[in-house]
Amino acid sequence: MTIDAPYTLTSFSNALEEGLQHLFPDSIRLEAEIGELRVNRGHCYLNLVEKGKRSDTIVAQQRATIWAGNFAVLSAFFEQSTGIPLQTGLKVLLQCEVTYHALYGFSLNVVGIEPEYTLGALALARREIIQRLEREGIIDLNKQQELPLLPQRIAVISSATAAGYGDFMNHLSYNDYGYAFSVKLFPAIMQGKGAEASIINALDAVFEEMDAFDVVVLIRGGGATSDLSCFDSYELAAHIAQFPLPVIAGIGHQRDDTIADLVAHTKVKTPTAAADLLLNALANAEQMVNDLAEQMRDIVVQRLSSEQLQLVNMSHSIVSLAKNKLLAAASTLERQTLNISNAVALKLQRENSRLDLIERVVASYDHESMLKRGFAIIEQNGKMVRSVNQLQENDRVILYLHDGRRGAVIKDNE
């Protein structure tokens, strides 16, 4: 039995190096996801991973290095091309050299990167998130929230030191209208690692005090466009979409909308524009109140004019009615006077034997004589009043005296 001679460590290493050079004589293009990324002294150390198609389980991983001489150029090129920095979670297509060294072992040295691949992966991931939100029926939920007529109680989610937050507060506080707002800041990390979880925690804190606010304003502002990746996450988008208050996104960028912008009630370009949105809402409400007040004034003026005209017409009718009543009363009095005269004449004829006495009596009871002696004739509704039982308190009557007549009101019914 022949026993093969053993490898020395050097010969084994040389064999591995020759084998790798034979398998990979040139650089290779490698698809992977960045599981970890660390920069030290200008060098970038990567842990590349591949995950299962239906789960996040890592099925393969390999370390790779971008040496400082290449990293400064490649990272700048990648960020300029994609708008985002190299970071954990990105899917990348790398140009790598496969090497093996007797002292340092196997290594992947990254010498190139293709930004278009990452952009495509990001677009695909974004499309998948949007489709998921649509399938779950929540993508437009926040847009269905009604923006209050007077949104003056504002919950702001932002970094306290963000320039955008300062711009928002200054624009809101020193507005030309003199409107007052109640604003409470819920601090959050708005970019980089931990931003997504921090913003979600801030939304949860607002939810605990939901009855104290009218709207939520999400402000970033002042940061690089490359730090917007947290606003394209499913978890944050789902929280915003399902939040029970209108969410105004003033993240402060000019590129394509993030998914957070897409699900928010209203998206504006800058924090200052978010402040303008609130100010315009109050200005519109004030204008509406002024318009209603003007309409009410016009209605009142028209009603008063109509009532005044009706009052004039009624006064004319009353005067005419009063004249007719007086004429009727005079006619009635004249007939009654004639009747009395006739009755007196008949009585005189029948009482010839007492003519002298009757003449004196009649003369003494003639109404003209009676009126001159201080008596009065009382008339109500065109009829003479002959008994106190005919009169009630507040009845209107006419008093006929020897030199004219006067109206009177019965005040004492005893």
Side-chain angles (χ1 to χ4, degrees):
M1 181 176 180
T2 301
I3 301 176
D4 293 336
Y7 281 101
T8 64
L9 190 57
T10 300
S11 63
F12 175 71
S13 297
N14 290 338
L16 284 176
E17 183 176 1
E18 289 175 3
L20 285 174
Q21 287 179 351
H22 177 72
L23 288 172
F24 306 108
D26 301 312
S27 61
I28 63 170
R29 297 169 74 220
L30 182 65
E31 294 180 340
E33 179 180 326
I34 300 177
E36 295 180 13
L37 184 150
R38 180 173 58 88
V39 178
N40 186 20
R41 296 182 180 180
H43 307 300
C44 178
Y45 301 96
L46 303 171
N47 184 39
L48 303 176
V49 299
E50 181 180 342
K51 297 178 180 178
K53 293 183 178 180
R54 297 185 179 181
S55 70
D56 286 335
T57 303
I58 296 175
V59 297
Q61 63 179 340
Q62 180 62 52
R63 295 189 181 281
T65 306
I66 310 176
W67 300 113
N70 283 330
F71 180 63
V73 176
L74 292 182
S75 61
F77 169 65
F78 181 84
E79 184 167 342
Q80 182 180 12
S81 300
T82 64
I84 58 175
L86 276 173
Q87 57 186 288
T88 301
L90 291 181
K91 292 183 178 180
V92 291
L93 180 56
L94 305 173
Q95 194 78 24
C96 300
E97 293 178 345
V98 183
T99 64
Y100 185 85
H101 192 276
L103 290 178
Y104 304 112
F106 173 82
S107 63
L108 285 174
N109 297 325
V110 179
V111 295
I113 189 168
E114 299 183 23
E116 294 80 6
Y117 176 88
T118 301
L119 287 173
L122 290 173
L124 177 61
R126 172 188 169 89
R127 184 164 62 250
E128 289 175 347
I129 291 174
I130 292 173
Q131 289 174 346
R132 180 179 176 183
L133 294 168
E134 289 174 342
R135 285 196 308 271
E136 294 173 353
I138 63 175
I139 194 167
D140 290 326
L141 280 183
N142 198 255
K143 287 180 171 57
Q144 295 172 13
Q145 297 283 343
E146 185 175 356
L147 190 69
L149 187 63
L150 300 174
Q152 292 179 282
R153 303 177 302 164
I154 317 301
V156 176
I157 297 177
S158 177
S159 168
T161 58
Y165 173 62
D167 293 341
F168 173 82
M169 290 302 299
N170 286 334
H171 202 66
L172 207 61
S173 301
Y174 304 106
N175 65 84
D176 295 335
Y177 301 101
Y179 298 146
F181 293 87
S182 172
V183 181
K184 182 175 180 179
L185 174 66
F186 291 81
I189 301 170
M190 301 303 291
Q191 60 188 43
K193 186 177 181 180
E196 177 186 351
S198 181
I199 297 170
I200 290 174
N201 289 337
L203 283 169
D204 291 341
V206 176
F207 179 79
E208 295 296 325
E209 305 178 38
M210 187 183 67
D211 292 340
F213 302 106
D214 299 316
V215 295
V216 178
V217 178
L218 187 61
I219 291 175
R220 178 178 167 270
T225 303
S226 60
D227 294 322
L228 288 165
S229 58
C230 66
F231 296 102
D232 276 329
S233 78
Y234 168 78
E235 292 297 332
L236 178 56
H239 272 74
I240 293 174
Q242 298 176 90
F243 204 76
L245 290 175
V247 177
I248 299 171
I251 297 174
H253 60 95
Q254 301 297 326
R255 68 163 215 173
D256 293 339
D257 293 345
T258 65
I259 297 178
D261 291 321
L262 183 66
V263 299
H265 181 280
T266 305
K267 175 252 180 180
V268 292
K269 287 294 184 183
T270 64
T272 300
D276 282 332
L277 177 69
L278 299 173
L279 291 170
N280 289 337
L282 265 65
N284 291 337
E286 182 180 18
Q287 184 61 50
M288 182 176 67
V289 171
N290 290 338
D291 291 344
L292 289 173
E294 185 69 18
Q295 293 175 16
M296 185 176 294
R297 188 193 69 82
D298 292 342
I299 291 173
V300 170
V301 169
Q302 293 175 3
R303 183 63 181 270
L304 287 175
S305 177
S306 174
E307 295 292 340
Q308 186 175 17
L309 179 60
Q310 186 176 1
L311 183 62
V312 170
N313 293 335
M314 289 179 63
S315 65
H316 291 164
S317 297
I318 290 173
V319 170
S320 177
L321 181 62
K323 288 181 178 179
N324 292 336
K325 286 286 187 181
L326 288 174
L327 290 174
S331 177
T332 300
L333 180 60
E334 185 177 354
R335 287 196 302 272
Q336 291 176 345
T337 303
L338 180 60
N339 291 338
I340 292 173
S341 298
N342 291 337
V344 169
L346 180 61
K347 187 70 173 178
L348 287 174
Q349 290 177 2
R350 292 178 179 178
E351 300 290 338
N352 274 333
S353 60
R354 296 183 296 168
L355 181 59
D356 293 337
L357 178 60
I358 292 303
E359 286 179 349
R360 288 193 299 270
V361 171
V362 170
S364 66
Y365 280 91
D366 179 72
H367 71 278
E368 293 293 338
S369 300
M370 292 174 63
L371 293 178
K372 288 181 180 181
R373 291 167 56 190
F375 292 96
I377 296 174
I378 301 173
E379 178 183 301
Q380 182 186 33
N381 297 327
K383 297 180 180 181
M384 293 182 62
V385 178
R386 292 180 169 81
S387 170
V388 294
N389 294 327
Q390 293 178 246
L391 299 176
Q392 302 293 328
E393 190 171 358
N394 295 323
D395 281 353
R396 294 182 176 275
V397 298
I398 299 175
L399 301 179
Y400 288 91
L401 303 173
H402 76 96
D403 57 351
R405 62 175 180 264
R406 288 289 187 272
V409 178
I410 303 302
K411 289 298 184 181
D412 186 356
N413 196 31
E414 295 182 358

